[in-house]
Amino acid sequence: VISLDEAHAILSRNGHADPGSFYGARVTLSLGAGLFFEGVRCPQFNVADQIFDTFELPVYVLTHECDIDPENRRPFNDALIVCPVISLQSFLDEAHSRFGAAAECGQFLANVARRHVSRLVYLPPSAGALENGGFIYLNALTSTHVSVFERKEPFAALSATGLREVDFALQNHLLRPKAEPLSDFWRKLH
Amino acid sequence: VSVDPMPISRQDDAFLRRAILRGGRLVARGRLSEK
């Protein structure tokens, strides 16, 4: 449908994310501090069988580092939320079945880069991390257990700038006003 | 408020799921419990 180079050109032409400032050093950060990991075991729904399968996927960890700090001995600190990472190459490899024409696929990528598609966040390419860039799909958030991360090293980390981009996208996607009017609880009471 | 200018139908979302799984590895298929 569209080549990797063409996709890069569209995404960088329409995007706000600066690849140079999107990622930061990952060595000293704790689990939950804007890190990406490979091979994280988590569930994915199998539509054909209507049942969950177990996969190992590249993910971004959303849960705050304080909520899963092993030093914090308290209830409810052993589960965390992860978001699967879709590499741009994987997206393009599958895009032919959804987008008939290259222009249509290009338009979609441009809309993602412009932040008009709130459920997808564009991750710019980074040498040594996300070579060709990718996306996180905010409606595919899933939960897994902290033990899955034992002895795992992150393959990328967001910088403060990158984290602001992702947090803004999360806020826009999850907390934007509902399109339909909801009943007024207080009016019902009186 | 952002508005998706080109919504993808549920049926067509199968390609996104396949794209997610391309980057990973199947560990175990789910199994229905026997009744």
Side-chain angles (χ1 to χ4, degrees):
Chain A
V1 171
I2 197 167
S3 74
L4 195 57
D5 287 344
E6 287 169 322
H8 276 305
I10 292 166
L11 288 163
S12 60
R13 199 164 54 238
N14 292 281
H16 307 274
D18 171 18
S21 62
F22 200 84
Y23 301 98
R26 59 185 189 267
V27 280
T28 58
L29 295 169
S30 306
L31 179 63
L35 298 176
F36 294 85
F37 291 84
E38 291 273 10
V40 171
R41 203 165 280 194
C42 58
Q44 286 293 306
F45 194 63
N46 182 325
V47 179
D49 297 342
Q50 290 288 290
I51 201 165
F52 282 95
D53 296 331
T54 304
F55 273 83
E56 287 180 345
L57 299 174
V59 301
Y60 171 67
V61 177
L62 271 97
T63 297
H64 193 281
E65 68 270 27
C66 292
D67 289 336
I68 40 176
D69 184 349
E71 300 298 316
N72 282 339
R73 291 192 174 193
R74 57 187 184 183
F76 301 101
N77 70 345
D78 67 347
L80 66 162
I81 303 168
V82 296
C83 190
V85 174
I86 306 169
S87 76
L88 181 58
Q89 185 64 68
S90 295
F91 174 87
L92 294 174
D93 288 344
E94 295 293 343
H96 63 89
S97 66
R98 171 59 183 82
F99 301 99
E104 193 188 357
C105 184
Q107 186 61 42
F108 180 77
L109 290 175
N111 284 328
V112 172
R114 290 180 198 138
R115 300 188 189 127
H116 291 168
V117 183
S118 72
R119 61 190 178 277
L120 280 181
V121 182
Y122 170 53
L123 306 169
S126 166
L130 275 160
E131 293 289 343
N132 292 313
F135 309 99
I136 50 176
Y137 179 22
L138 298 182
N139 279 347
L141 303 185
T142 186
S143 178
T144 191
H145 192 262
V146 283
S147 61
V148 163
F149 293 85
E150 279 175 19
R151 291 182 292 279
K152 275 201 184 304
E153 294 290 327
F155 70 87
L158 294 176
S159 65
T161 304
L163 187 64
R164 259 197 308 275
E165 292 261 347
V166 172
D167 284 353
F168 174 81
L170 278 166
Q171 185 157 358
N172 181 49
H173 183 60
L174 298 175
L175 304 182
R176 70 189 194 273
K178 300 295 183 196
E180 296 180 18
L182 275 62
S183 64
D184 190 328
F185 172 75
W186 295 107
R187 195 175 295 163
K188 265 188 182 173
L189 270 185
H190 295 100
Chain B
V1 179
S2 84
V3 178
D4 186 341
M6 194 178 64
I8 295 176
S9 75
R10 285 178 185 163
Q11 197 176 6
D12 289 337
D13 256 357
F15 92 99
L16 263 185
R17 191 183 124 73
R18 288 196 303 272
I20 292 174
L21 303 185
R22 256 181 186 270
R25 184 179 79 86
L26 174 67
V27 176
R29 286 253 178 251
R31 201 166 47 124
L32 289 167
S33 59
E34 290 176 27
K35 290 183 180 171

